[in-house]
Amino acid sequence: MTFVLKSAASALAISCGVAVMSAVPAHAYTLMDMLRGDRQRTQSTIFMDQMPPGRVGSRSGVGGSLGGLDPEAPLPKVSGPRYYTYKTETLQFVDTGRFADPVVTGAVADVSGSGDASAEPAVQRRFLAQAKVRANADVAKALEAYYGDSRNPLVWVEGNQINDRAKSAMLVLADASFVGLDPADYAVQTPDIDPANPDPAFRDRALTQFELDLSAKVLAFVQDTVRGRIDPNKISGYHDFQRKVVNLAPVLKLSRMSPDVGAYIASRSPDSPQFQALKAELAKLRAADGGNEERIVVSLDRLLRPGDSSPEIANIVKAIGKHGSETLKTDHAATLAAYAGSIDYSPDIVSLVEDFQKERGLKPDGVIGQATVRAMTGGDTNASKIDKLVVAMEQARWLPEDLGSRYVMINQPAYMVYYHNDGKEQLSMRVVVGGKNNQTYFFDDEIETVEFNPFWGVPQSIIINEMLPKLRSDPNYLDQLGYEVEVNGHAVASSSVDWYGSTNNVSVRQPPSSDNALGELKILFPNSHAIYMHDTPSKSFFKRDMRALSHGCVRLADPRAMAAAVLGTTVDDVAKQIASGQNHAVRVPQKIPVYVSYFTAWPNKDGVVEYFDDVYGRDAYVDKAFDATSKARGAQI
């Protein structure tokens, strides 16, 4: 099974590629050294488009022609996706002219003087055509469909006043913050009607304006709570979702017919266990008086290692005593009780720290760095946790409400992957995800195959950004490494390719080996970003706390266990498949959803919400999109 990139256009979607490398001779270290990061970068590290060209003049090899390219020009570069300035959806005026049905208004004229109180709603319908409401296209369509049908009565107005149904709906909208939405987006001005005002037309105009305003807000709330306030694909090229379509057509009828309209509207919020855990955590934090809570600060300007001394030891012990688990504090009760303020990082304190690191999923080596400090001091403030929860609840709406009874969840900020079966987490392990310059995408897909002893099809981004400078200095470079090169599907020697020309028709792959970049296996869920899970020979990376280190694909700490899980087989069977030494693929018995996600707040298997660093800074872009959306909605007439 060979994966070959056919064009530079497709390469732009590849995230398994980097843009920097060390400016050293081609023979100084291998490509695998570069990809692993084994060589320590020095001050000579520069960007590819700043490197001098390899050789002067063009070659007459079999690659693409120069096409007028100056060999002295800067080397080409493949760039990854970018973040956007968020563009809000267009708001349009609802076509209220459709609400002035001549048949209806004629009927109104016949009964308006009869004194029949039951005619008042029909009288008010006459003023619907004069109301002005702006909404997005879906909400406008639902409003026009409901109020354009003269058989549909008003929902929120009865006689000369708003009804209890309206008051119930407005209470739910006012509490939108409890489900991670902004109440200001759904605020409706109650009509200011002076009972002493003898002008019924003034009253009816105000009531019909209120009727449409509230309907528009209820529809917007339902749409937002199901699919989210913002379109993730407008945040960056790293987001890839099919935005949900929300059926708004029956909402107003069901609101009118429901015996408890507030409960009906509230029921439209996601009901998954994960969303409910986020919602409960949000309510707890908002109810907490975090402003007066003592915050323990640990200030370290370097790593603190066993045997060192520091005046911060006292704060470290105090912080673990506050944020450590009850089991941890019981196991180390003697140490916590006996501590008398020493600045020595003694063995008993080291043991306390190691056990704390272990229960927090950190490397239990007793070395205190910023990740450990963050964990022991409680990490985020209440305010920052609330912000992460609101973002997480929005992002949860982008995924299916029901993740399924069997699925794989990769959470990039946690550097973890979880396998769920029969609704329970059965396997979890550390992962390495893309570095900040080679970010892993946020999307969902389905696992289809496991490939054993894989070839590594080198992405165009790596060929251009990393290999090309070496190849221009030494065209034999790939031959020496044992890589296979093809031009237009025909095997050629690396030395025969014109590396000063286009690489669009050139493919490079690494055969299966102990040094293969993908290791023993890869787990495929075909997508336009060429992202998959795979093994790696760079095992040391999994010992790090910060594991945003790959070219964009997801490296697994225990790939055999994950392969066995998705194939529904045993690790021993997986080992036999690998031992064959043959490159072959096995289809999973049934496609398994995989969520390549990005949550800085997410519940663990026990329903406890955990918080993570925003490694790519994506939450800030979501917040900006929130602000832009609320500003656009607030500007409507």
Side-chain angles (χ1 to χ4, degrees), residues 227-269:
R227 74 174 190 181
R229 282 181 274 173
I230 59 179
D231 183 347
N233 304 306
K234 294 181 179 180
I235 298 174
S236 81
Y238 291 107
H239 294 76
D240 184 6
F241 291 94
Q242 183 70 41
R243 201 172 190 198
K244 296 176 183 176
V245 176
V246 184
N247 182 14
L248 298 178
V251 170
L252 292 179
K253 285 186 178 180
L254 290 174
S255 295
R256 177 173 54 82
M257 297 168 60
S258 173
D260 187 344
V261 67
Y264 163 68
I265 296 171
S267 72
R268 299 305 303 269
S269 290

Side-chain angles (χ1 to χ4, degrees), residues 547-616:
R547 297 189 293 280
L549 303 164
S550 81
H551 285 70
C553 288
V554 179
R555 305 179 188 179
L556 301 171
D558 190 355
R560 293 188 179 193
M562 184 60 73
V566 300
L567 288 171
T569 186
T570 65
V571 173
D572 286 343
D573 180 63
V574 168
K576 290 177 183 177
Q577 300 269 13
I578 295 168
S580 73
Q582 299 299 310
N583 167 244
H584 65 288
V586 178
R587 188 168 294 275
V588 299
Q590 61 183 38
K591 292 182 180 180
I592 302 171
V594 57
Y595 305 103
V596 187
S597 63
Y598 192 93
F599 291 99
T600 56
W602 195 250
N604 62 22
K605 62 182 179 181
D606 299 318
V608 177
V609 175
E610 298 176 333
Y611 299 89
F612 312 101
D613 289 334
D614 186 4
V615 59
Y616 298 148

Side-chain angles (χ1 to χ4, degrees), residues 358-371:
K358 185 175 182 180
E359 74 174 17
R360 293 303 180 95
L362 303 173
K363 183 180 179 182
D365 56 4
V367 178
I368 303 176
Q370 291 306 309

